[in-house]
Amino acid sequence: MGLIVQKFGGTSVADVERIRNVARRVAKNYDQGNGMVVILSAMAGVTDTLIDLANQMTAGAQSPDKRELDVLLATGEQTTAALLAMYLKTMGYPARSLLGFQAEVVTDCSYGNARIIDVRAGQVRKLIQDRYIVVVAGFQGCDSEGNITTLGRGGSDTSAVAMAAALKADRCEIYTDVDGIYTADPNVCGKARKLDRISCEEMLEMASLGAKVLHIRSVEFALKHNVPVYVRSSFNEEEGTMLVNGEQDMERPVVSGITYSKNEARITLKKVPDQPGIAAKIFAPVADAGINVDMIIQNTRAGGQTDLTFTVPKSEYQRTLEIERDVAARIGAESVRGDENIAKVSVIGVGMKSHSGVASKMFTSLADENINIMMISTSEIRISCVVEEKQAELAVRTLHTAFGLDADADAKK
Ligand code: ADP
Ligand code: ASP
Ligand code: MG
């Protein structure tokens, strides 16, 4: 017996029958005497549909007002929370749905990408004490002025882990459409292997490099507040993956996972005068616009000129191009080019800290498949390469095999 927070993602609540399935799972845990808090996503595809609707509404004008967009997007999770609570009641269970503001999920005021500052959960605690099943709409909160905010795409994982941290829950279970966390996206790499456990450190890196199975901030919360997080499928009873804090007695392969992300775009300034202060002139306006630059490379040409290439989130591509066209005219660069059809493929592993040769193996394996590397970046525990978007999946599979991660690799040894 304990207090359990369970989160169900979009595919797990995609239709009425699946919501009934969720209700049965929740009820079973409640019947065992556990306190139950359930965090829900919107039905699969609903958030995208709402974004489309907003864009249609403002077509021709500027992008939709950010405050109103969050009011709109929050309705996706409001729908599923109400439907689940409704069904639990028909099953004879005391249930109550709450929206983010009613659960007192306090965020900053960055609409569309708000950060949770505090989860007060007064009503949630009271309802648990009174033996209610509390169903909370994920992905949403409320700023100190009372405005509805949303936490960024995939953010209901963070709602769940933050709620579990606030309530000091015994565990936080994330139910999704795969059986756990794998060495690579199992929908791209058929030979990906399910991990029994993964360190928060590695999961943070994987989430930040494209593995959307967990929202990155949910892993940050788990790490900071020591929340036991367990990821598993809502469609079967298979054992899932436990997120573990610290590196105690973990199996340590040099490379533990491969990720890819198609969310970046590349900008190149050609023939930039190679003088002190130029990089600042190129990047300061991008930073001032609140755009995050990821990778940067600079090539020196003859004649006191350089080419400078960097990546930004795809969603900021047009805005960055406009900014850099202005910059190029000011500093006397020859031209600005961009490319949206790129992907970043990364190999990740804490074991890399103490091993050499990972980079060369990565480059050789990609070359053997004729995959051209456009940019490279490294940290202590990962190496990332930018490749053509259409080669991303092949690159993931190639690296997965090259680093001995394939599910059948052990059998072959
Ligand atoms: P939910 O709607 O349940 O939040 P998401 O679509 O956000 O589900 O996340 C689950 C998806 O994450 C899987 O369907 C899978 O394609 C993808 N994924 C990417 N990398 C991994 C990985 N390393 N392990 C498991 N799933 C991954
Ligand atoms: N519904 C939101 C999204 O699609 C949040 C989530 O599913 O976690 O991004
Ligand atoms: Mg998700």
Side-chain angles (χ1 to χ4, degrees):
M1 273 189 332
L3 177 57
I4 307 176
V5 174
Q6 293 187 331
K7 176 257 168 177
F8 294 87
T11 37
S12 308
V13 293
D15 56 39
V16 166
E17 196 37 54
R18 288 188 180 175
I19 296 177
R20 289 197 180 119
N21 188 38
V22 167
R24 287 189 282 269
R25 202 181 265 275
V26 171
K28 191 169 144 201
N29 284 275
Y30 177 88
D31 288 340
Q32 288 163 355
N34 296 301
M36 296 300 298
V37 178
V38 186
I39 310 280
L40 294 184
S41 287
M43 289 172 162
V46 164
T47 309
D48 289 332
T49 306
L50 292 170
I51 292 172
D52 273 359
L53 211 58
N55 286 330
Q56 281 178 44
M57 204 70 228
T58 59
Q62 66 281 64
S63 24
D65 179 87
K66 290 190 160 166
R67 180 188 184 281
E68 303 315 326
L69 184 60
D70 273 4
V71 173
L72 179 69
L73 296 191
T75 62
E77 274 69 12
Q78 174 163 356
T79 306
T80 45
L83 289 172
L84 178 68
M86 206 177 270
Y87 187 65
L88 282 165
K89 288 183 199 186
T90 66
M91 289 168 71
Y93 288 89
R96 181 76 58 90
S97 67
L98 296 178
L99 300 182
F101 79 91
Q102 294 170 310
E104 296 159 283
V105 178
V106 184
T107 72
D108 64 16
C109 49
S110 335
Y111 296 119
N113 197 22
R115 281 179 175 271
I116 296 180
I117 297 167
D118 193 11
V119 179
R120 301 207 181 110
Q123 235 194 111
V124 178
R125 286 178 228 270
K126 171 90 181 44
L127 287 166
I128 298 169
Q129 260 177 18
D130 294 344
R131 284 295 287 152
Y132 275 87
I133 297 173
V134 190
V135 183
V136 182
F139 180 53
Q140 54 182 268
C142 175
D143 71 9
S144 57
E145 309 277 295
N147 299 299
I148 291 173
T149 54
T150 64
L151 310 181
R153 297 307 303 269
S156 42
D157 298 328
T158 300
S159 308
V161 182
M163 181 61 75
L167 298 174
K168 299 197 166 45
D170 293 286
R171 59 179 196 273
C172 179
E173 299 174 348
I174 307 281
Y175 287 89
T176 183
D177 58 359
V178 286
D179 291 351
I181 299 165
Y182 282 70
T183 46
D185 185 340
N187 291 319
V188 165
C189 180
K191 292 180 176 168
R193 218 165 1 109
K194 188 173 72 188
L195 301 164
D196 297 333
R197 300 188 293 166
I198 184 168
S199 72
C200 287
E201 198 182 359
E202 276 164 324
M203 191 59 229
L204 267 182
E205 204 72 18
M206 282 180 69
S208 75
L209 293 168
K212 68 170 181 163
V213 62
L214 283 179
H215 192 235
I216 184 161
R217 286 190 202 138
S218 70
V219 189
E220 288 168 2
F221 264 101
L223 192 61
K224 189 162 169 213
H225 299 277
N226 241 317
V227 182
V229 174
Y230 187 55
V231 180
R232 63 188 304 196
S233 169
S234 67
F235 303 129
N236 60 43
E237 296 300 323
E238 294 286 316
E239 291 292 325
T241 304
M242 194 75 207
L243 216 59
V244 294
N245 219 337
E247 297 179 22
Q248 78 282 33
D249 71 291
M250 289 273 299
E251 195 194 326
R252 287 261 148 263
V254 177
V255 169
S256 51
I258 316 284
T259 60
Y260 74 103
S261 160
K262 295 185 175 179
N263 284 334
E264 289 183 42
R266 179 168 76 121
I267 312 259
T268 302
L269 279 84
K270 281 205 171 288
K271 294 196 180 171
V272 177
D274 195 5
Q275 293 157 3
I278 282 291
K281 286 195 177 120
I282 291 172
F283 293 112
V286 181
D288 290 346
I291 298 169
N292 278 333
V293 171
D294 179 20
M295 293 184 179
I296 301 175
I297 52 168
Q298 183 177 339
N299 297 324
T300 310
R301 290 172 170 256
Q305 290 175 321
T306 82
D307 291 345
L308 216 139
T309 303
F310 60 95
T311 60
V312 293
K314 215 171 246 183
S315 55
E316 304 289 4
Y317 176 63
Q318 284 304 337
R319 222 153 59 97
T320 314
L321 264 185
E322 279 159 31
I323 292 171
E324 291 305 337
R325 284 194 182 120
D326 263 13
V327 170
R330 252 184 292 129
I331 63 175
E334 186 193 78
S335 62
V336 181
R337 299 223 180 109
D339 183 0
E340 281 188 280
N341 301 317
I342 61 164
K344 183 167 70 176
V345 183
S346 309
V347 304
I348 296 153
V350 175
M352 233 184 258
K353 281 181 189 170
S354 52
H355 275 78
S356 55
V358 177
S360 68
K361 189 171 195 172
M362 180 174 190
F363 305 153
T364 312
S365 314
L366 294 176
D368 287 348
E369 288 296 331
N370 255 325
I371 298 171
N372 186 38
I373 301 171
M374 304 175 193
M375 301 174 82
I376 299 165
S377 77
T378 63
S379 83
E380 238 191 348
I381 64 165
R382 59 112 176 164
I383 305 170
S384 303
C385 292
V386 169
V387 301
E388 256 188 83
E389 185 171 20
K390 62 174 192 261
Q391 292 186 308
E393 286 83 1
L394 173 63
V396 169
R397 290 192 287 267
T398 301
L399 295 171
H400 199 268
T401 304
F403 286 100
L405 296 173
D406 287 358
D408 56 5
D410 288 341
K412 277 192 201 146
K413 272 180 198 162

